[in-house]
Coordinates of all heavy atoms in Angstrom, one line a residue:
M114 N 14.8 31.2 32.5 CA 15.6 32.0 31.6 C 15.9 31.1 30.4 O 16.1 29.9 30.5 CB 16.9 32.4 32.3 CG 17.6 33.5 31.7 SD 16.6 35.0 31.9 CE 17.6 36.2 31.0
P115 N 15.9 31.7 29.1 CA 16.1 30.8 28.0 C 17.6 30.3 27.9 O 18.5 30.8 28.5 CB 15.9 31.8 26.8 CG 15.8 33.2 27.5 CD 15.7 33.0 28.9
V116 N 17.7 29.2 27.2 CA 19.0 28.6 27.0 C 19.6 28.9 25.7 O 19.0 29.0 24.6 CB 18.8 27.0 27.1 CG1 20.1 26.3 26.8 CG2 18.2 26.6 28.3
P117 N 20.9 29.4 25.7 CA 21.5 29.8 24.5 C 21.6 28.7 23.4 O 21.9 27.6 23.9 CB 22.9 30.3 24.9 CG 22.8 30.6 26.4 CD 21.8 29.7 26.9
L118 N 21.3 29.0 22.2 CA 21.4 28.0 21.2 C 22.8 28.0 20.6 O 23.2 27.0 19.9 CB 20.4 28.3 20.1 CG 19.0 28.2 20.5 CD1 18.1 28.6 19.4 CD2 18.6 26.8 20.9
T119 N 23.6 29.0 20.7 CA 24.9 29.2 20.1 C 25.9 29.6 21.1 O 25.5 30.3 22.1 CB 25.0 30.2 18.9 OG1 24.6 31.5 19.4 CG2 24.1 29.8 17.8
P120 N 27.2 29.2 21.0 CA 28.1 29.6 21.9 C 28.4 31.2 21.8 O 28.0 31.7 20.8 CB 29.4 28.8 21.6 CG 29.1 28.4 20.2 CD 27.7 28.3 19.9
D121 N 29.0 31.7 22.8 CA 29.3 33.2 22.7 C 30.2 33.4 21.6 O 31.3 32.7 21.5 CB 30.0 33.7 24.0 CG 29.0 33.7 25.2 OD1 27.8 33.7 25.0 OD2 29.5 33.6 26.3
P122 N 29.9 34.4 20.7 CA 30.8 34.7 19.6 C 32.1 35.4 20.1 O 32.1 36.0 21.2 CB 30.0 35.7 18.7 CG 29.0 36.3 19.7 CD 28.8 35.2 20.8
Q123 N 33.1 35.3 19.3 CA 34.4 36.0 19.7 C 34.1 37.5 19.5 O 33.5 37.9 18.5 CB 35.5 35.5 18.8 CG 36.0 34.1 19.0 CD 36.6 34.0 20.4 OE1 37.3 34.8 20.8 NE2 36.2 32.9 21.0
P124 N 34.7 38.3 20.4 CA 34.5 39.8 20.2 C 35.2 40.2 18.9 O 36.3 39.7 18.6 CB 35.1 40.4 21.4 CG 36.0 39.4 22.0 CD 35.5 38.1 21.6
P125 N 34.7 41.2 18.2 CA 35.2 41.7 16.9 C 36.7 42.3 17.3 O 36.8 42.9 18.3 CB 34.3 42.6 16.3 CG 33.5 43.1 17.4 CD 33.4 41.9 18.5
A126 N 37.6 42.3 16.3 CA 38.8 43.0 16.5 C 38.6 44.5 16.5 O 37.6 45.0 15.9 CB 39.7 42.7 15.3
P127 N 39.4 45.2 17.2 CA 39.1 46.8 17.3 C 39.1 47.4 15.8 O 40.0 47.0 15.0 CB 40.4 47.2 18.1 CG 40.9 46.1 18.9 CD 40.5 44.8 18.0
G128 N 38.1 48.1 15.6 CA 38.0 48.9 14.4 C 37.3 48.0 13.3 O 37.1 48.5 12.2
S129 N 37.0 46.8 13.7 CA 36.3 45.9 12.6 C 34.8 46.1 12.6 O 34.3 46.7 13.5 CB 36.6 44.4 12.8 OG 35.9 44.0 14.1
V130 N 34.1 45.7 11.6 CA 32.7 45.9 11.5 C 32.1 44.5 11.4 O 32.5 43.7 10.6 CB 32.4 46.7 10.2 CG1 30.9 46.9 10.0 CG2 33.0 48.1 10.3
S131 N 31.0 44.3 12.1 CA 30.3 42.9 12.1 C 29.7 42.9 10.7 O 29.0 43.7 10.2 CB 29.2 43.0 13.1 OG 28.4 41.9 13.0
P132 N 30.0 41.7 10.0 CA 29.4 41.5 8.7 C 27.9 41.3 8.7 O 27.3 41.6 7.7 CB 30.0 40.2 8.2 CG 30.4 39.5 9.4 CD 30.7 40.6 10.5
V133 N 27.3 41.0 9.8 CA 25.8 40.8 9.8 C 25.1 42.1 10.1 O 24.1 42.4 9.4 CB 25.4 39.9 11.0 CG1 23.9 39.7 11.0 CG2 26.0 38.5 10.7
T134 N 25.5 43.0 11.0 CA 24.8 44.1 11.3 C 25.5 45.4 10.8 O 24.8 46.5 10.8 CB 24.6 44.2 12.9 OG1 26.0 44.4 13.5 CG2 23.9 43.1 13.4
G135 N 26.8 45.4 10.6 CA 27.4 46.6 10.2 C 27.8 47.5 11.3 O 28.1 48.7 11.2
R136 N 27.6 47.1 12.6 CA 27.8 47.9 13.7 C 29.0 47.2 14.5 O 29.0 46.1 14.9 CB 26.7 47.9 14.6 CG 25.5 48.6 14.1 CD 24.3 48.6 15.0 NE 24.8 49.4 16.2 CZ 23.9 49.8 17.0 NH1 22.6 49.6 17.0 NH2 24.3 50.5 18.1
P137 N 30.1 48.0 14.6 CA 31.2 47.5 15.5 C 30.9 47.2 16.9 O 30.2 48.0 17.5 CB 32.2 48.7 15.3 CG 31.5 49.9 14.9 CD 30.3 49.4 14.3
G138 N 31.3 46.1 17.4 CA 31.1 45.8 18.7 C 29.7 45.2 19.0 O 29.4 44.8 20.1
M139 N 28.8 45.0 18.0 CA 27.5 44.4 18.2 C 27.6 43.0 18.6 O 28.3 42.2 18.0 CB 26.6 44.6 17.0 CG 25.3 44.0 17.1 SD 24.1 44.7 18.3 CE 23.7 46.2 17.4
R140 N 26.9 42.6 19.6 CA 26.8 41.2 20.1 C 25.3 40.6 19.8 O 24.4 41.3 20.2 CB 27.2 41.1 21.5 CG 27.2 39.8 22.1 CD 27.5 39.7 23.6 NE 27.5 38.5 24.1 CZ 28.4 37.8 24.6 NH1 29.7 38.3 24.6 NH2 28.2 36.6 25.1
T141 N 25.3 39.5 19.1 CA 23.9 38.9 18.9 C 24.0 37.6 19.4 O 24.8 36.8 19.2 CB 23.6 38.8 17.4 OG1 23.8 40.2 16.8 CG2 22.3 38.3 17.1
E142 N 22.9 37.2 20.3 CA 22.8 35.9 20.9 C 21.4 35.4 20.6 O 20.4 36.2 20.6 CB 22.9 36.0 22.4 CG 24.3 36.4 22.8 CD 24.5 36.6 24.3 OE1 24.1 37.7 24.8 OE2 24.8 35.6 25.0
L143 N 21.3 34.1 20.4 CA 20.0 33.4 20.1 C 19.6 32.5 21.3 O 20.5 31.9 21.9 CB 20.1 32.5 18.8 CG 20.6 33.2 17.6 CD1 20.9 32.1 16.5 CD2 19.7 34.3 17.1
F144 N 18.4 32.6 21.6 CA 17.8 31.9 22.7 C 16.6 31.1 22.3 O 15.9 31.4 21.4 CB 17.4 32.7 23.8 CG 18.6 33.5 24.4 CD1 18.9 34.8 23.9 CD2 19.4 33.0 25.5 CE1 20.0 35.4 24.4 CE2 20.4 33.7 26.0 CZ 20.8 35.0 25.5
S145 N 16.4 29.8 22.9 CA 15.2 29.2 22.7 C 14.0 29.8 23.4 O 14.2 30.6 24.2 CB 15.3 27.7 23.1 OG 15.6 27.6 24.5
S146 N 12.9 29.4 23.0 CA 11.6 29.9 23.6 C 10.7 28.8 24.0 O 10.7 27.7 23.4 CB 10.9 30.9 22.7 OG 9.7 31.3 23.2
K147 N 9.8 29.0 25.0 CA 8.8 28.0 25.4 C 7.9 27.7 24.2 O 7.3 26.6 24.1 CB 8.0 28.4 26.6 CG 8.9 28.5 27.8 CD 7.9 29.0 29.0 CE 8.7 29.1 30.2 NZ 7.8 29.6 31.4
C148 N 7.6 28.7 23.4 CA 6.6 28.6 22.4 C 7.1 28.0 21.1 O 8.2 28.3 20.7 CB 6.0 30.0 22.1 SG 5.2 30.7 23.5
P149 N 6.3 27.1 20.4 CA 6.8 26.5 19.2 C 7.0 27.5 18.1 O 6.3 28.5 18.0 CB 5.7 25.5 18.9 CG 4.5 26.0 19.5 CD 5.0 26.7 20.8
D150 N 7.9 27.2 17.2 CA 8.3 28.1 16.0 C 8.6 29.5 16.4 O 8.3 30.5 15.6 CB 7.0 28.0 15.0 CG 6.9 26.6 14.5 OD1 7.9 25.9 14.3 OD2 5.7 26.3 14.3
T151 N 9.3 29.7 17.5 CA 9.7 31.0 17.9 C 11.2 31.0 18.3 O 11.7 29.9 18.7 CB 8.9 31.6 19.1 OG1 9.1 30.8 20.2 CG2 7.4 31.8 18.7
I152 N 11.9 32.1 18.2 CA 13.2 32.3 18.7 C 13.3 33.7 19.3 O 12.7 34.5 18.9 CB 14.2 32.1 17.5 CG1 15.6 31.9 18.1 CG2 14.1 33.1 16.5 CD1 16.6 31.3 17.1
I153 N 14.2 33.8 20.3 CA 14.5 35.1 20.9 C 15.9 35.5 20.6 O 16.8 34.7 20.6 CB 14.3 35.0 22.5 CG1 12.9 34.7 22.8 CG2 14.7 36.4 23.1 CD1 12.7 34.5 24.3
V154 N 16.0 36.8 20.1 CA 17.3 37.3 19.7 C 17.6 38.6 20.5 O 16.7 39.3 20.7 CB 17.3 37.8 18.2 CG1 18.6 38.5 17.8 CG2 17.0 36.7 17.3
Q155 N 18.8 38.5 21.1 CA 19.2 39.6 22.0 C 20.4 40.3 21.2 O 21.3 39.6 20.9 CB 19.7 39.2 23.4 CG 20.1 40.3 24.2 CD 20.4 39.9 25.7 OE1 20.3 38.8 26.0 NE2 20.6 40.9 26.6
E156 N 20.3 41.6 21.1 CA 21.4 42.4 20.4 C 21.8 43.4 21.4 O 21.0 44.1 22.1 CB 20.9 43.0 19.2 CG 20.4 42.1 18.1 CD 19.8 42.8 16.9 OE1 19.3 43.9 17.0 OE2 19.9 42.2 15.8
S157 N 23.1 43.6 21.5 CA 23.6 44.6 22.5 C 25.0 45.1 22.0 O 25.7 44.4 21.3 CB 23.7 44.0 23.9 OG 24.5 42.9 24.0
D158 N 25.4 46.3 22.5 CA 26.7 46.7 22.4 C 26.9 47.7 23.6 O 26.1 47.7 24.6 CB 27.1 47.4 21.1 CG 26.3 48.6 20.7 OD1 25.7 49.3 21.6 OD2 26.4 49.1 19.5
R159 N 27.8 48.6 23.6 CA 28.1 49.5 24.8 C 26.9 50.2 25.2 O 26.7 50.3 26.4 CB 29.3 50.4 24.5 CG 30.6 49.7 24.4 CD 31.7 50.7 24.1 NE 31.5 51.3 22.6 CZ 31.5 52.5 22.3 NH1 31.9 53.4 23.2 NH2 31.3 52.9 21.1
D160 N 26.1 50.9 24.4 CA 25.0 51.7 24.8 C 23.7 51.4 24.2 O 22.8 52.1 24.0 CB 25.4 53.1 24.4 CG 25.7 53.3 23.0 OD1 25.7 52.4 22.2 OD2 25.8 54.5 22.5
Y161 N 23.6 50.1 23.8 CA 22.4 49.7 23.1 C 22.0 48.2 23.5 O 22.9 47.3 23.5 CB 22.7 49.8 21.5 CG 21.6 49.3 20.7 CD1 20.5 50.0 20.3 CD2 21.6 47.9 20.2 CE1 19.5 49.6 19.5 CE2 20.6 47.5 19.3 CZ 19.6 48.3 19.0 OH 18.6 47.9 18.1
Q162 N 20.8 48.0 23.8 CA 20.3 46.6 24.1 C 18.8 46.4 23.6 O 18.1 47.3 24.0 CB 20.5 46.3 25.5 CG 20.0 44.8 25.9 CD 20.4 44.4 27.2 OE1 21.6 44.5 27.6 NE2 19.5 44.0 28.0
R163 N 18.6 45.4 23.0 CA 17.2 45.1 22.7 C 17.0 43.5 22.6 O 18.0 42.8 22.3 CB 16.6 45.7 21.5 CG 17.2 45.2 20.2 CD 16.6 45.9 19.0 NE 17.2 45.4 17.8 CZ 16.9 45.8 16.6 NH1 15.9 46.7 16.4 NH2 17.4 45.3 15.5
I164 N 15.8 43.1 22.9 CA 15.5 41.6 22.6 C 14.2 41.6 21.7 O 13.4 42.4 21.8 CB 15.3 40.8 23.9 CG1 14.2 41.3 24.8 CG2 16.6 40.8 24.7 CD1 13.8 40.5 26.0
L165 N 14.3 40.6 20.8 CA 13.2 40.4 19.9 C 12.7 39.1 19.9 O 13.5 38.1 20.1 CB 13.8 40.8 18.4 CG 14.5 42.1 18.3 CD1 15.8 41.9 17.8 CD2 13.7 43.0 17.4
L166 N 11.4 38.9 19.7 CA 10.8 37.5 19.6 C 10.3 37.4 18.1 O 9.5 38.2 17.6 CB 9.6 37.4 20.6 CG 8.8 36.2 20.5 CD1 9.7 34.9 20.9 CD2 7.5 36.3 21.4
Y167 N 10.9 36.4 17.5 CA 10.5 36.1 16.1 C 9.7 34.9 16.2 O 10.0 33.9 16.7 CB 11.8 35.9 15.2 CG 12.5 37.1 14.9 CD1 13.6 37.3 15.6 CD2 12.1 38.0 14.0 CE1 14.4 38.6 15.3 CE2 12.8 39.1 13.7 CZ 13.9 39.4 14.4 OH 14.7 40.6 14.1
S168 N 8.6 34.9 15.3 CA 7.7 33.8 15.2 C 7.4 33.5 13.8 O 7.4 34.3 12.9 CB 6.4 34.1 15.9 OG 5.4 33.1 15.7
R169 N 7.3 32.2 13.5 CA 7.0 31.7 12.1 C 5.4 31.9 11.8 O 5.0 31.8 10.7 CB 7.4 30.3 11.8 CG 8.9 30.1 11.8 CD 9.2 28.6 11.4 NE 10.6 28.4 11.3 CZ 11.3 28.4 10.2 NH1 10.6 28.6 9.1 NH2 12.5 28.3 10.1
T170 N 4.7 32.0 12.8 CA 3.2 32.2 12.6 C 2.8 33.6 12.8 O 3.2 34.2 13.7 CB 2.5 31.2 13.7 OG1 2.8 31.6 15.0 CG2 2.8 29.7 13.6
P171 N 1.8 33.9 12.1 CA 1.3 35.4 12.1 C 0.5 35.7 13.5 O 0.5 36.8 13.8 CB 0.4 35.6 10.9 CG 0.1 34.2 10.4 CD 1.1 33.3 11.0
H172 N 0.0 34.7 14.0 CA -0.8 35.0 15.2 C -0.3 34.1 16.4 O -0.5 32.9 16.5 CB -2.3 34.5 15.0 CG -2.9 35.3 13.9 ND1 -3.2 36.6 13.9 CD2 -3.3 34.9 12.6 CE1 -3.6 37.0 12.7 NE2 -3.6 35.9 11.9
L173 N 0.4 34.8 17.3 CA 1.1 34.2 18.4 C 0.1 34.1 19.6 O -0.6 35.1 19.8 CB 2.3 35.0 18.8 CG 3.4 34.3 19.5 CD1 3.9 33.1 18.8 CD2 4.5 35.3 19.7
A174 N 0.2 33.0 20.4 CA -0.8 32.9 21.5 C -0.4 34.0 22.5 O 0.8 34.4 22.7 CB -0.6 31.5 22.1
D175 N -1.5 34.5 23.2 CA -1.3 35.5 24.3 C -0.3 35.0 25.4 O 0.5 35.9 25.9 CB -2.6 35.9 24.9 CG -3.6 36.6 23.9 OD1 -3.0 37.2 23.0 OD2 -4.7 36.6 24.2
E176 N -0.3 33.8 25.7 CA 0.7 33.2 26.7 C 2.1 33.4 26.2 O 3.0 33.8 27.0 CB 0.4 31.8 27.0 CG -1.0 31.5 27.4 CD -2.0 31.3 26.4 OE1 -1.7 30.8 25.4 OE2 -3.2 31.7 26.6
C177 N 2.4 33.3 24.9 CA 3.7 33.5 24.4 C 4.2 34.9 24.5 O 5.3 35.2 24.9 CB 3.9 33.0 23.0 SG 3.6 31.2 22.7
I178 N 3.3 35.8 24.1 CA 3.7 37.3 24.3 C 3.9 37.6 25.7 O 4.8 38.4 26.0 CB 2.5 38.0 23.6 CG1 2.5 37.7 22.0 CG2 2.8 39.5 23.8 CD1 1.3 38.3 21.3
E179 N 3.0 37.1 26.5 CA 3.1 37.5 28.0 C 4.4 36.9 28.6 O 5.1 37.6 29.4 CB 1.9 37.0 28.8 CG 1.8 37.5 30.3 CD 1.7 39.0 30.3 OE1 1.1 39.7 29.3 OE2 2.3 39.6 31.2
D180 N 4.8 35.7 28.2 CA 6.1 35.1 28.7 C 7.3 36.0 28.2 O 8.2 36.2 29.0 CB 6.1 33.7 28.2 CG 7.4 33.0 28.7 OD1 7.6 32.9 29.9 OD2 8.3 32.7 27.9
F181 N 7.2 36.5 26.9 CA 8.3 37.2 26.4 C 8.3 38.5 27.1 O 9.5 39.0 27.5 CB 8.1 37.4 24.9 CG 9.1 38.4 24.3 CD1 10.4 37.9 24.2 CD2 8.8 39.6 23.9 CE1 11.4 38.7 23.6 CE2 9.8 40.4 23.3 CZ 11.0 40.0 23.1
R182 N 7.2 39.2 27.4 CA 7.2 40.4 28.1 C 7.7 40.3 29.5 O 8.5 41.1 30.0 CB 5.7 41.0 28.2 CG 5.2 41.7 27.0 CD 3.9 42.3 27.3 NE 3.6 43.3 26.3 CZ 2.6 44.1 26.3 NH1 1.6 43.9 27.2 NH2 2.4 44.9 25.3
N183 N 7.5 39.2 30.2 CA 8.0 38.9 31.5 C 9.5 38.9 31.4 O 10.2 39.3 32.3 CB 7.4 37.8 32.2 CG 5.9 38.0 32.5 OD1 5.5 39.1 32.7 ND2 5.2 36.9 32.6
Q184 N 10.0 38.1 30.5 CA 11.5 38.0 30.3 C 12.1 39.4 30.0 O 13.2 39.7 30.5 CB 11.8 37.1 29.2 CG 11.6 35.6 29.5 CD 11.9 34.7 28.5 OE1 13.0 34.8 27.8 NE2 11.0 33.7 28.2
A185 N 11.5 40.2 29.2 CA 12.0 41.5 28.9 C 12.0 42.4 30.2 O 13.0 43.2 30.4 CB 11.2 42.1 27.8
Y186 N 10.9 42.3 30.9 CA 10.8 43.0 32.1 C 11.9 42.7 33.1 O 12.5 43.6 33.9 CB 9.5 42.8 32.8 CG 9.2 43.7 33.9 CD1 8.9 45.1 33.8 CD2 9.3 43.2 35.3 CE1 8.6 45.9 34.9 CE2 9.0 44.0 36.4 CZ 8.8 45.3 36.2 OH 8.5 46.2 37.2
C187 N 12.3 41.4 33.2 CA 13.4 41.0 34.0 C 14.8 41.7 33.7 O 15.7 41.8 34.5 CB 13.6 39.5 34.0 SG 12.3 38.6 34.8
L188 N 14.9 42.1 32.4 CA 16.0 42.8 31.9 C 15.9 44.2 32.0 O 16.6 45.0 31.3 CB 16.3 42.3 30.5 CG 16.8 40.9 30.3 CD1 16.8 40.5 28.8 CD2 18.0 40.5 31.0
D189 N 14.9 44.7 32.8 CA 14.7 46.1 32.9 C 14.2 46.8 31.6 O 14.5 48.0 31.3 CB 15.8 46.9 33.5 CG 16.1 46.5 35.0 OD1 15.1 46.1 35.7 OD2 17.2 46.5 35.3
M190 N 13.6 46.1 30.8 CA 13.0 46.6 29.5 C 11.5 46.7 29.7 O 10.8 45.7 29.7 CB 13.4 45.7 28.3 CG 14.9 45.6 28.1 SD 15.2 44.5 26.6 CE 17.0 44.7 26.6
E191 N 11.0 47.9 29.8 CA 9.6 48.1 30.1 C 8.8 48.5 28.8 O 7.6 48.4 28.8 CB 9.4 49.1 31.2 CG 10.0 48.6 32.5 CD 9.9 49.7 33.6 OE1 9.2 50.7 33.5 OE2 10.5 49.4 34.7
E192 N 9.5 49.1 27.8 CA 8.7 49.5 26.6 C 8.6 48.2 25.7 O 9.6 47.4 25.5 CB 9.6 50.6 25.9 CG 9.6 51.9 26.6 CD 10.3 52.9 25.9 OE1 10.1 53.0 24.6 OE2 11.0 53.7 26.5
F193 N 7.5 48.1 25.1 CA 7.2 46.9 24.3 C 6.5 47.3 23.0 O 5.7 48.1 23.0 CB 6.2 46.0 25.1 CG 6.0 44.7 24.5 CD1 6.9 43.6 24.6 CD2 4.8 44.5 23.8 CE1 6.6 42.4 24.0 CE2 4.6 43.2 23.2 CZ 5.5 42.2 23.3
L194 N 7.0 46.8 21.9 CA 6.4 47.1 20.6 C 6.0 45.8 19.9 O 6.8 44.9 19.8 CB 7.4 47.9 19.7 CG 7.0 48.1 18.3 CD1 5.8 49.1 18.2 CD2 8.2 48.8 17.5
L195 N 4.7 45.7 19.5 CA 4.3 44.5 18.8 C 4.0 45.0 17.4 O 3.2 45.8 17.1 CB 3.0 44.0 19.5 CG 2.3 42.8 18.8 CD1 3.2 41.6 18.9 CD2 1.0 42.5 19.7
L196 N 4.7 44.3 16.4 CA 4.4 44.6 15.0 C 3.5 43.5 14.5 O 3.9 42.3 14.4 CB 5.7 44.6 14.2 CG 6.8 45.6 14.7 CD1 8.0 45.4 14.0 CD2 6.3 47.0 14.4
P197 N 2.2 43.8 14.2 CA 1.3 42.8 13.6 C 1.8 42.4 12.2 O 2.3 43.1 11.5 CB 0.0 43.5 13.6 CG 0.3 45.0 13.6 CD 1.7 45.1 14.3
R198 N 1.5 41.2 12.0 CA 1.9 40.5 10.7 C 0.6 40.1 9.9 O -0.2 39.4 10.5 CB 2.8 39.4 10.9 CG 3.6 39.0 9.7 CD 4.8 38.1 10.0 NE 4.3 36.8 9.9 CZ 4.9 35.7 10.3 NH1 6.1 35.9 10.9 NH2 4.4 34.5 10.2
S199 N 0.5 40.5 8.6 CA -0.7 40.1 7.9 C -0.5 39.0 6.9 O -1.3 38.5 6.3 CB -1.2 41.4 7.2 OG -0.2 41.9 6.3
Q200 N 0.8 38.6 6.8 CA 1.2 37.5 5.8 C 1.9 36.4 6.5 O 2.6 36.6 7.5 CB 2.0 38.1 4.7 CG 1.3 39.2 3.9 CD 2.2 39.8 2.9 OE1 3.3 39.3 2.7 NE2 1.8 40.8 2.2
D201 N 1.9 35.2 5.9 CA 2.7 34.1 6.3 C 4.1 34.4 5.9 O 4.5 35.3 5.2 CB 2.2 32.8 5.7 CG 1.1 32.2 6.5 OD1 1.0 32.5 7.7 OD2 0.3 31.4 5.9
T202 N 5.0 33.5 6.4 CA 6.5 33.6 6.0 C 6.6 33.3 4.6 O 5.9 32.6 4.0 CB 7.3 32.7 6.9 OG1 6.9 31.4 6.7 CG2 7.3 33.1 8.3
C203 N 7.7 34.0 4.0 CA 8.0 33.8 2.6 C 9.2 32.8 2.6 O 10.1 32.7 3.5 CB 8.5 35.1 2.0 SG 7.3 36.3 2.0
Q204 N 9.2 31.9 1.5 CA 10.4 31.2 1.2 C 11.5 31.9 0.6 O 11.3 32.6 -0.4 CB 9.9 30.0 0.3 CG 9.0 29.0 0.9 CD 9.6 28.3 2.1 OE1 10.7 27.9 2.1 NE2 8.7 28.1 3.2
L205 N 12.7 31.9 1.2 CA 13.9 32.5 0.6 C 14.4 31.7 -0.5 O 14.5 30.5 -0.4 CB 14.9 32.8 1.7 CG 14.5 33.7 2.8 CD1 15.6 33.8 3.8 CD2 14.1 35.1 2.3
Q206 N 14.9 32.4 -1.5 CA 15.5 31.7 -2.7 C 16.8 32.3 -3.0 O 17.2 33.4 -2.7 CB 14.7 31.9 -4.0 CG 13.3 31.4 -3.8 CD 12.4 31.7 -5.1 OE1 12.9 32.2 -6.0 NE2 11.0 31.3 -4.9
D207 N 17.8 31.4 -3.4 CA 19.1 31.8 -3.8 C 19.0 32.8 -4.9 O 18.1 32.6 -5.9 CB 20.0 30.6 -4.1 CG 20.3 29.8 -3.0 OD1 20.2 30.3 -1.8 OD2 20.6 28.6 -3.2
S208 N 19.9 33.8 -4.9 CA 19.7 34.8 -6.0 C 20.9 34.5 -7.1 O 21.7 33.7 -7.0 CB 20.0 36.2 -5.6 OG 21.1 36.3 -4.8

């Protein structure tokens, strides 16, 4: 199982809105991955849960994808969506 990179966030105050997602009660956790240049993000609230694998490289090794699928399956997540990427990452600039 992945190791959390950040401590558990404090739950939002009742009626507040998360500044990152705009969804009240949303919980976001970051996890390390076996594969280089990747990170796993788990988002959940009362009736919603998903995990995402982000990679800095456009072509991820099949072993990395299979490992992520196995972790998702352990969480009873059987549907899987792979979004192909045709470009390298962009450098973000201050506006």
Side-chain angles (χ1 to χ4, degrees):
M114 201 65 182
V116 176
L118 296 177
T119 59
D121 290 341
Q123 292 294 320
S129 69
V130 176
S131 169
V133 176
T134 63
R136 294 183 62 168
M139 175 66 74
R140 180 182 175 116
T141 302
E142 297 176 274
L143 303 174
F144 298 89
S145 60
S146 173
K147 292 180 186 177
C148 299
D150 295 326
T151 62
I152 192 165
I153 296 173
V154 177
Q155 181 175 7
E156 297 177 333
S157 58
D158 66 14
R159 288 179 294 139
D160 56 353
Y161 175 84
Q162 179 172 303
R163 71 177 178 178
I164 59 172
L165 306 123
L166 175 64
Y167 288 101
S168 174
R169 290 183 178 263
T170 60
H172 304 290
L173 206 53
D175 290 340
E176 300 83 35
C177 294
I178 295 171
E179 190 60 32
D180 181 60
F181 177 72
R182 277 187 162 180
N183 290 336
Q184 290 182 39
Y186 186 77
C187 286
L188 296 171
D189 293 327
M190 295 181 181
E191 297 179 11
E192 293 184 39
F193 185 81
L194 176 64
L195 177 63
L196 300 174
R198 197 166 90 193
S199 58
Q200 301 176 2
D201 276 336
T202 56
C203 300
Q204 294 295 323
L205 298 178
Q206 299 177 7
D207 291 334
S208 50

